[in-house]
Amino acid sequence: MSDFSRLTRRKFLYAAGASAAGSVLLKSCAGNPPSATTSTATDTPTAVNVAANDTPEVTNIKLGYIPIVESAGMIIAQEKGFFAKYGMTGVELSKQANWASARDNVTIGASGGGIDGGQWQMPMPHLISEGIITNGQKIPMYVLAQLNTQGNGIAISGIHTGKGVNLDLKGAADYIKSFPANEGRKFKAAHTFPNVNQDFWIRYWFAAGGIDPDQDIDLLAVPPAETVQGMRNGTMDAFSTGDPWPYRIVTDDIGYMAALTHQLWEFHPEEYLAIRADWVDANPKATKALLKGLMEAQQWCDQPANRPELVQICSGRNYFNIPPEILTPPYEGAYTMGDGQEAFNDINAGPLYWSDPKGNVSYPYKSHDLWFLTESLRWGFHKNSIADFDTVKRMIDSVNREDLWREAAQEAGFSGIPTSTSRGVETFFDGITFDPENPQAYLDSLTVKRV
Ligand code: CA
């Protein structure tokens, strides 16, 4: 192991351990989370792009973020002055210890010491709106923009090298299913929060390989530091994770990458900006100002020439607090996969923020909300609350505010505004298709499911 990787690993585990400690602390005082570290822009440029009748009702908002590549658009909007340019001079970005903490903080709201909104895996905004993951307390939220596509993947412990645990799992299905007989335990896989993106990605991958994630393996939410330690000592086998973890896991010889989410579903929906509905309803102009700032930042993020500066800003102590060398490869689309697989060197394989070959990244397509909720039906998640497509449609129509995104983009004069709320038929790596016009046909076409 190089001195560099030893050094970076120590720093990395320290940072991850701090998150895990934050999670434990939160549990001990649920409902009253400790105030998170916050970052405000280092300078506050004067608003230069605000017509008199567009003046925001308020100039401040508190947005939560998780220190992973998904949050880069918000961080750049803050640090490069794009929020301020449209009049939002008092944005506060608040680092969240983990997803449960973000959920608890938005339930409280900024007025109670929490947050007004921020970064979410899907369909957290829908679940919070319905009170499904907030002990019945309904906090209506609006999905306003997608933050990014791609930048996630499935990491495998190095002890499985050479066993065929790769993108197409079919050849390794017997190896994984025979774990109880051979090892006295099931093959064990982790994600960071149940029933959202990371859980969906790894479930899709297992099921496509003929492995039932509810029966053939153990799949559970585990803090990242604990997962990585388990992968190191042979008690954890797989981790559904996002950049910059994949790079660390390979560089530090903890394991290899079985798949990038780019491979599972090219240009898939990933994480979103969503804000409490009471805040948006009270501040529609401020909402659109925020969206304009985010969209301009997302356009900035996708310029390859800006990526080195993006890495410098996001890796900084106020944000991800990691060595910039760790963030550079994903932003170049450079992924060493390991286990004899070909490496990626394609900027379109990594995180993107504004546009991709399938359309606009920032625009929150309703057809993507529909996929996340259809997948919830597939696995029987929250089935007492999400029982059928009528419920799903009602949830999407009350939570997805693509109309506000559209108005903001038009007012700002941005190009590339989608003409439909659907991105159309989606195709997965195993050939399965999802037609938003007929989600039941998608469910019918799947073999491993709970419906
Ligand atoms: Ca993610």
Side-chain angles (χ1 to χ4, degrees):
M1 187 187 303
S2 70
D3 285 348
F4 168 70
S5 80
R6 212 185 310 269
L7 172 72
T8 54
R9 184 178 69 199
R10 197 163 55 234
K11 277 192 191 164
F12 190 45
L13 290 178
Y14 173 76
S19 292
S23 154
V24 171
L25 190 62
L26 182 67
K27 275 187 200 130
S28 67
C29 53
N32 187 21
S35 55
T37 54
T38 58
S39 302
T40 44
T42 45
D43 57 333
T44 30
T46 322
V48 294
N49 213 28
V50 184
N53 59 354
D54 288 342
T55 304
E57 299 85 354
V58 292
T59 57
N60 62 307
I61 185 171
K62 195 165 170 185
L63 299 176
Y65 74 96
I66 301 280
I68 50 179
V69 297
E70 282 81 347
S71 59
M74 291 193 293
I75 292 169
I76 292 301
Q78 176 80 331
E79 291 296 322
K80 295 296 289 179
F82 296 123
F83 283 145
K85 174 178 172 181
Y86 293 97
M88 296 304 289
T89 52
V91 175
E92 197 178 335
L93 297 183
S94 172
K95 192 186 291 188
Q96 304 296 299
N98 51 52
W99 295 105
S101 174
R103 173 201 59 197
D104 293 345
N105 278 324
V106 85
T107 306
I108 297 165
S111 58
I115 55 177
D116 297 301
Q119 170 190 353
W120 305 99
Q121 294 194 70
M122 288 290 250
M124 289 182 82
H126 307 73
L127 302 177
I128 293 168
S129 294
E130 298 282 323
I132 294 170
I133 56 171
T134 47
N135 294 321
Q137 192 181 349
K138 294 184 179 182
I139 308 291
M141 295 190 70
Y142 292 149
V143 164
L144 297 164
Q146 180 170 239
L147 292 172
N148 72 301
T149 178
Q150 306 184 146
N152 287 250
I154 294 163
I156 303 296
S157 167
I159 61 172
H160 304 303
T161 301
K163 304 293 187 187
V165 185
N166 303 118
L167 177 63
D168 182 352
L169 258 184
K170 291 193 194 78
D174 287 344
Y175 172 70
I176 289 172
K177 289 181 182 176
S178 65
F179 251 62
N182 295 335
E183 307 289 333
R185 65 171 179 87
K186 286 182 177 177
F187 189 92
K188 194 171 172 188
H191 49 69
T192 53
F193 195 81
N195 311 339
V196 297
N197 298 36
Q198 285 186 359
D199 193 1
F200 288 135
W201 304 145
I202 200 164
R203 279 172 174 271
Y204 193 97
W205 173 70
F206 274 124
I211 293 160
D212 188 324
D214 291 319
Q215 291 170 9
D216 298 332
I217 60 161
D218 281 331
L219 175 59
L220 59 169
V222 179
E226 196 178 313
T227 298
V228 172
Q229 187 55 35
M231 289 175 76
R232 195 189 296 281
N233 66 26
T235 57
M236 181 66 77
D237 303 297
F239 182 21
S240 179
T241 185
D243 290 324
W245 285 100
Y247 174 77
R248 307 302 300 261
I249 285 165
V250 174
T251 306
D252 290 351
D253 264 341
I254 294 165
Y256 67 92
M257 295 306 296
L260 305 179
T261 51
H262 167 73
Q263 293 173 284
L264 298 177
W265 179 6
E266 281 189 336
F267 313 113
H268 60 85
E270 185 51 29
E271 294 179 16
Y272 286 72
L273 173 72
I275 296 174
R276 288 174 61 116
D278 54 6
W279 194 95
V280 173
D281 288 339
N283 305 296
K285 290 178 182 177
T287 300
K288 285 193 276 182
L290 269 179
L291 281 171
K292 292 170 194 172
L294 175 66
M295 290 181 208
E296 195 162 334
Q298 289 177 300
Q299 293 168 51
W300 187 95
C301 288
D302 272 3
Q303 296 299 316
N306 293 333
R307 288 283 171 93
E309 187 180 353
L310 185 164
V311 165
Q312 284 301 324
I313 291 171
C314 290
S315 62
R317 207 173 37 178
N318 287 348
Y319 293 106
F320 299 1
N321 195 22
I322 56 174
E325 293 82 358
I326 290 160
L327 264 189
T328 298
Y331 278 115
E332 293 173 341
Y335 293 95
T336 303
M337 301 295 284
D339 196 27
Q341 303 160 101
E342 202 173 328
F344 280 87
N345 193 5
D346 172 7
I347 203 164
N348 278 334
L352 297 170
Y353 298 90
W354 177 251
S355 69
D356 64 35
K358 284 190 186 166
N360 193 296
V361 175
S362 175
Y363 176 74
Y365 289 99
K366 284 189 171 183
S367 61
H368 289 162
D369 295 37
L370 178 61
W371 182 81
F372 284 111
L373 290 164
T374 300
E375 206 68 356
S376 302
L377 288 172
R378 172 188 186 176
W379 296 117
F381 292 159
H382 323 291
K383 59 185 174 189
N384 293 332
S385 305
I386 308 175
D388 51 45
F389 283 113
D390 286 344
T391 309
V392 163
K393 185 175 184 318
R394 178 186 57 75
M395 288 169 73
I396 295 170
D397 287 341
S398 62
V399 173
N400 182 298
R401 293 302 304 272
E402 58 80 33
D403 56 315
L404 291 174
W405 188 99
R406 201 177 281 283
E407 283 175 27
Q410 280 161 354
E411 287 173 15
F414 296 141
S415 58
I417 300 173
T419 53
S420 169
T421 60
S422 171
R423 199 172 71 169
V425 175
E426 305 284 350
T427 305
F428 296 82
F429 79 105
D430 57 344
I432 293 283
T433 57
F434 172 74
D435 181 355
E437 299 297 313
N438 190 356
Q440 185 63 50
Y442 166 81
L443 285 181
D444 292 345
S445 74
L446 300 164
T447 50
V448 183
K449 57 192 168 188
R450 300 280 83 83
V451 288

